[in-house]
Amino acid sequence: MIGRQVWGTVATPPEEENTQHRPCLVPLLLAATACGGDDSGTSTSSSGKKLDKVTLTLNWYPYGEHAPFYYGKQQKIFEKHGIDLDIRAGQGSQKTVQATGAGQTDFGWADTPAVLSGVDAGVKVKSLGVFLQTTPSSVQFFESQNIKSPADLKGRTIAGTAGDALSKTFPIFLEKNGLSESDVKVQNTDPAGKIAAVISGKTDGLLGYASDQGPTMQNKAKKPVS
């Protein structure tokens, strides 16, 4: 199973009053940003408090899974702990891993396969924990496509995005279900265009997360999604 993996960052508790994890988690953020030695990585809050500037790059464009970060920023929980958090949209877990390893972002939020692949390739990143224990990764399509099993994907065209975690795991999924990569055409599509590709009929389905693209696609098209 693929768990959402996070390295170099931590999720903010959903309630400011919940301080159970702060003693160990918040110092991790501060330790990662307090090594500059000058004021170039700092800012000042409206109350005059000095803050450490911290960048967090997501695995994808913002969706529900990222709510704790935005909630923490909105409620000034990060600011309370001396952090000026800049949340950036991502373009796939692999790119986020690479950006983190290259020092282009302080922290990243990515899927386990992308982290493991990056570490295997020599990218200098460290995982701090797992947010999701089971994966929302899935092949999503309208029920009218009549896809009932993995075998029904043969000959289909599926929208995918190069650089995201599913591009690594989908070939393994096919192999485990008796299919080859040549049996299914994966059409490289930018993150924002995958849903449109399915709705317009350019592809039969998409590779995405059941907690994200599926409900959005169903809401836009007013058709049931499997």
Side-chain angles (χ1 to χ4, degrees):
M1 293 184 292
I2 310 163
R4 168 76 75 244
Q5 191 87 351
V6 54
W7 75 99
T9 187
V10 292
T12 302
E15 296 293 339
E16 185 170 355
E17 292 76 16
N18 182 358
T19 59
Q20 179 180 358
H21 299 296
R22 283 191 199 139
C24 61
L25 296 184
V26 172
L28 284 174
L29 281 170
L30 295 178
T33 60
C35 54
D38 56 36
D39 290 336
S40 61
T42 63
S43 64
T44 304
S45 70
S46 57
S47 63
K49 183 177 181 179
K50 190 173 182 179
L51 307 174
D52 288 304
K53 290 184 178 180
V54 177
T55 55
L56 167 64
T57 299
L58 305 175
N59 58 305
W60 206 243
Y61 56 79
Y63 59 96
E65 183 180 302
H66 309 128
F69 298 119
Y70 288 95
Y71 180 86
K73 186 170 182 176
Q74 182 186 56
Q75 297 298 313
K76 297 186 177 182
I77 298 174
F78 292 109
E79 183 179 313
K80 177 182 177 181
H81 293 280
I83 299 169
D84 179 5
L85 184 64
D86 177 20
I87 307 171
R88 301 174 179 176
Q91 294 182 312
S93 289
Q94 289 185 51
K95 291 183 179 180
T96 299
V97 172
Q98 292 165 0
T100 305
Q104 297 168 358
T105 182
D106 295 316
F107 306 112
W109 184 257
D111 274 299
T112 303
V115 177
L116 296 177
S117 177
V119 171
D120 188 56
V123 180
K124 301 299 182 181
V125 293
K126 181 180 292 186
S127 171
L128 297 183
V130 177
F131 182 67
L132 300 180
Q133 302 304 311
T134 57
T135 178
S137 302
S138 59
V139 182
Q140 299 168 56
F141 42 83
F142 291 121
E143 286 186 2
S144 58
Q145 290 289 343
N146 199 34
I147 298 174
K148 303 296 184 182
S149 70
D152 295 329
L153 293 174
K154 189 171 184 177
R156 303 280 188 161
T157 299
I158 304 297
T161 299
D164 69 5
L166 281 77
S167 65
K168 290 287 187 182
T169 57
F170 188 57
I172 300 172
F173 169 81
L174 293 175
E175 181 183 353
K176 293 296 183 181
N177 285 279
L179 298 170
S180 66
E181 290 186 53
S182 61
D183 287 330
V184 182
K185 180 182 178 181
V186 178
Q187 182 171 303
N188 188 28
T189 311
D190 67 271
K194 290 201 294 188
I195 292 176
V198 180
I199 292 177
S200 66
K202 292 181 179 178
T203 65
D204 301 306
L206 60 79
L207 296 177
Y209 298 120
S211 56
D212 177 21
Q213 288 97 337
T216 302
M217 188 164 66
Q218 181 167 297
N219 183 58
K220 286 186 174 183
K222 308 302 180 186
K223 296 194 296 184
V225 171
S226 294

